[in-house]
Amino acid sequence: KLKSNRGVTLTALVIYVMGLAVVITLMAMILKYFYRNVNDVTISQNADEQYSKFLAYLTKDANSDNLIYVQARINDEENVVFKFNNQVEHQYILKSGNIYYINIENNNEKKIILCENVSSSKVFNYSNNKLDVNFIINDKKFSTSLNIKNIE
């Protein structure tokens, strides 16, 4: 006579549950790893985007034809000031962990944040028509040197 299988035995049920637990645990570990790496990449890209935006503004000012004055670290603060012959002034200021761009024109001030989560003890250094910029955004170091056009 053939045996009749009437369903799942207790032993088979325990094996199925243990196998399912192992599969769910593996999937959870893979997802955790994946999302952690995606978050790290996003933070890194965000830092690169902020630096690129900052550098675009700074380079435009450094290469301007109507530049008449540049000074860094005014009053021992982390800043750099560009003045132009059309009475416009651009300031880059590190304050409260952010780098701000301030455009002053006809006594009207426009202020935007270029970089966030910035850390550095000395960001701007200007001497001999050369501006050095060094800072860290989200544990990623950025630095550059810009040659400023000869000021009349």
Side-chain angles (χ1 to χ4, degrees):
K1 269 187 163 180
L2 293 172
K3 280 172 65 177
S4 147
N5 289 335
R6 294 188 171 218
V8 180
T9 64
L10 184 58
T11 306
L13 183 62
V14 169
I15 292 171
Y16 291 146
V17 169
M18 287 175 49
L20 187 61
V22 168
V23 169
I24 290 173
T25 302
L26 286 174
M27 287 179 58
M29 289 172 52
I30 290 170
L31 284 174
K32 180 181 174 185
Y33 176 77
F34 174 75
Y35 283 117
R36 187 179 66 230
N37 283 344
V38 167
N39 192 30
D40 289 346
V41 168
T42 302
I43 288 171
S44 176
Q45 285 176 340
N46 188 26
D48 290 333
E49 289 169 7
Q50 289 181 48
Y51 180 69
S52 294
K53 183 177 173 182
F54 167 78
L55 203 54
Y57 276 82
L58 195 64
T59 303
K60 181 181 175 204
D61 286 347
N63 293 325
S64 177
D65 288 331
N66 59 354
L67 183 64
I68 59 172
Y69 175 82
V70 177
Q71 186 173 353
R73 301 186 57 80
I74 299 170
N75 298 327
D76 260 355
E77 294 181 15
E78 283 301 323
N79 56 30
V80 64
V81 176
F82 293 90
K83 290 185 182 177
F84 304 94
N85 60 12
N86 57 358
Q87 305 305 316
V88 174
E89 181 176 311
H90 295 167
Q91 299 178 4
Y92 299 85
I93 299 172
L94 174 64
K95 189 172 186 180
S96 303
N98 298 321
I99 294 180
Y100 295 94
Y101 166 79
I102 301 173
N103 179 16
I104 302 171
E105 188 172 355
N106 299 327
N107 293 327
N108 293 325
E109 189 175 291
K110 295 178 185 172
K111 182 177 183 180
I112 60 173
I113 296 177
L114 294 178
C115 302
E116 298 174 319
N117 301 321
V118 176
S119 61
S120 182
S121 59
K122 191 172 182 182
V123 175
F124 303 106
N125 185 27
Y126 177 69
S127 65
N128 300 326
N129 289 342
K130 185 177 176 184
L131 178 65
D132 295 319
V133 180
N134 299 293
F135 57 88
I136 298 168
I137 302 175
N138 295 328
D139 298 325
K140 188 168 184 180
K141 186 174 182 173
F142 296 97
S143 70
T144 191
S145 292
L146 296 172
N147 291 318
I148 308 297
K149 290 188 152 216
N150 285 333
I151 300 172
E152 301 166 1

